[in-house]
Structures are given as C-alpha cells and as structure tokens.
Amino acid sequence: MHTFFAPDLAGPTYTLPEDESKHAVRVLRLGVGDEVELLDGRGGLYKAAVADANPKRCQLRITHHESVPPRSYFTHVAVAPTKNLDRMEWFVEKAVEIGVERISFLRCARSERRELKLERLEKIAISALKQSGQAWLPQLDELQDFGAFVAGVTPETTFIAHLEEGERTSLAQVAGAGPGCCVLIGPEGDFTPQEIALALAKGIQPVTLGASRLRTETAALAAVFTAHIGR
C-alpha cells in the first residue's frame, strides 16, 4: 500500500499537494477506490480511499484512523554536521528508521560545516518515516553553538561521547536508566578540551561508544541504536 505524508490532515477528507497528486495519479496510477496510507507525523495512522483521482488535487476519503502514543523513552542526539552533507543525510535517514525523537545540530570549534539548511534533511526524515512505518516524525533543530546548546540541557540525562583520556562510562550502561537521554557527538577531530570541560562543569556525564574510533555520522547512529536497545 502506498504511503503519503499528511502533516495538516484534519477532517474526513484530505487533498494531496499538487506534486503528490501528480505522483499518485500519473506515476502510481491510482484511481477512484484505491486504498492508501497516510501519516501525519504526530502519531496518527490513517487508511484512505481515492475519492477524486485528479492529478492536480487528488482527494482522499479517510476510512480508518488510529493513534500511536509517543514512545516511553525519549532519544535525543546532538551532532556536529559533517562537511559532506551526504553523510548527515545518511545518518538522519537511518536514525529515523531505528527510532529517534529529536536531532539537534551543533556548531563546534572544530566543525567543518558552519551553516546548515534543514529543508533537505527534513525531506529525508519524511521519506524515512514513510518507508519505516514510524508514526512520529522527529524534531530537527537548527544549527546552534555548542555553548548555547549545553547551557539549555538537563545534565542528569545528557551525555558527551568524546575521545579524550579519562574515565568514561559505556553509553550502553546508562542509556535507558531514565525517561530518556541526550547524547552529544562532536565533529571530525572530536570536541576540544575546552568544550569537554564546559560540558563536565555543567554536570554532563562522559561516555564511550566502544573501542573503535568512529566517524561522526557512525557515532551518532551508534548512539541512537544504543539508546534504542537500552529502553
């Protein structure tokens, strides 16, 4: 069954945007009576039937609705985006497929990417949502300076994954212990000692993701997976 994203769905009918209408009618060749699935990204799962197969405004009639509650454990990853945006797109896609509630983007001292437009990443997230059948679309936050982000976190449920010497706890041991967690992932070259010190002074706990030195996007995905299986 074909799936469409309908964030503004309300009422017994829904009209697909023009680009989606054209795809549904001209490419997928959907006709009156054909069934589709709709996701609103807020826990709503819908079944619908094509009522008007117009390639400019394909109208759907809602036939069934169910609500999926939010997951009991909240996973939040804050990551410094890579210079090659394809690697961040890959991370967002896989993180949504596994199950993540929020992704924030950090501007760190060693960041190679200083600006970030979310439009493309949001489209990747929606595509992954439809593909994986997830009911909740993750929140994607604008790029923010590391210091400003750290100032606003809850330290008891926030962890920083860094490669500096010193005692660190395995994320697998602490993820899942509370209502959720936020994991900070640095850029290629890691967080600076000053950034690590700032996080530790805030009360953020240092963690490790394992013995291997991981790429930024791999580390971010490992954090999502570790938190997910720790629930």
Side-chain angles (χ1 to χ4, degrees):
M1 186 179 297
H2 299 291
T3 303
F4 296 91
F5 182 59
D8 53 349
L9 194 156
T13 63
Y14 181 76
T15 301
L16 293 175
E18 185 171 346
D19 58 336
E20 292 273 50
S21 293
K22 182 177 180 180
H23 181 72
V25 176
R26 295 279 171 78
V27 179
L28 301 179
R29 299 191 179 279
L30 297 178
V32 173
D34 286 340
E35 292 189 335
V36 299
E37 183 179 58
L38 299 174
L39 306 174
D40 64 11
R42 304 184 306 276
L45 301 178
Y46 302 82
K47 293 292 192 304
V50 177
D52 182 8
N54 188 312
K56 289 190 176 181
R57 50 186 182 279
C58 181
Q59 189 177 71
L60 308 174
R61 176 175 51 85
I62 308 303
T63 59
H64 177 75
H65 168 232
E66 63 179 285
S67 295
V68 177
R71 285 183 282 258
S72 59
Y73 189 83
F74 192 92
T75 302
H76 180 190
V77 171
V79 57
T82 53
K83 183 177 182 180
N84 185 343
L85 195 56
D86 289 349
R87 289 161 58 186
M88 278 296 98
E89 292 176 1
W90 176 86
F91 160 65
V92 169
E93 178 183 72
K94 302 311 175 188
V96 174
E97 289 177 9
I98 291 174
V100 66
E101 280 67 45
R102 184 177 177 185
I103 300 173
S104 299
F105 296 101
L106 304 176
R107 186 188 293 108
C108 299
R110 293 172 176 163
S111 290
E112 294 183 293
R113 178 172 288 276
R114 312 300 296 181
E115 302 294 335
L116 181 70
K117 294 182 179 179
L118 288 185
E119 183 178 357
R120 170 65 179 167
L121 294 176
E122 288 170 343
K123 289 180 179 179
I124 295 288
I126 291 170
S127 178
L129 182 82
K130 294 192 295 184
Q131 186 277 327
S132 62
Q134 300 280 355
W136 289 85
L137 185 68
Q139 175 181 332
L140 268 61
D141 298 330
E142 296 285 353
L143 192 66
Q144 187 177 11
D145 288 339
F146 178 82
F149 180 84
V150 166
V153 302
T154 302
E156 293 80 9
T157 56
T158 305
F159 308 94
I160 182 168
H162 67 78
L163 300 174
E164 290 287 315
E165 293 294 330
E167 185 176 347
R168 291 168 291 159
T169 305
S170 170
L171 179 62
Q173 293 180 350
V174 292
C181 71
C182 174
V183 185
L184 313 184
I185 305 294
E188 301 292 340
D190 202 10
F191 294 110
T192 64
Q194 293 78 13
E195 288 168 335
I196 296 170
L198 178 64
L200 298 184
K202 175 72 175 178
I204 295 171
Q205 183 175 343
V207 293
T208 176
L209 299 172
S212 299
R213 183 182 293 268
L214 304 176
R215 286 182 177 273
T216 294
E217 71 278 12
T218 310
L221 188 61
V224 174
F225 181 75
T226 302
H228 188 77
I229 62 175
R231 296 174 180 183

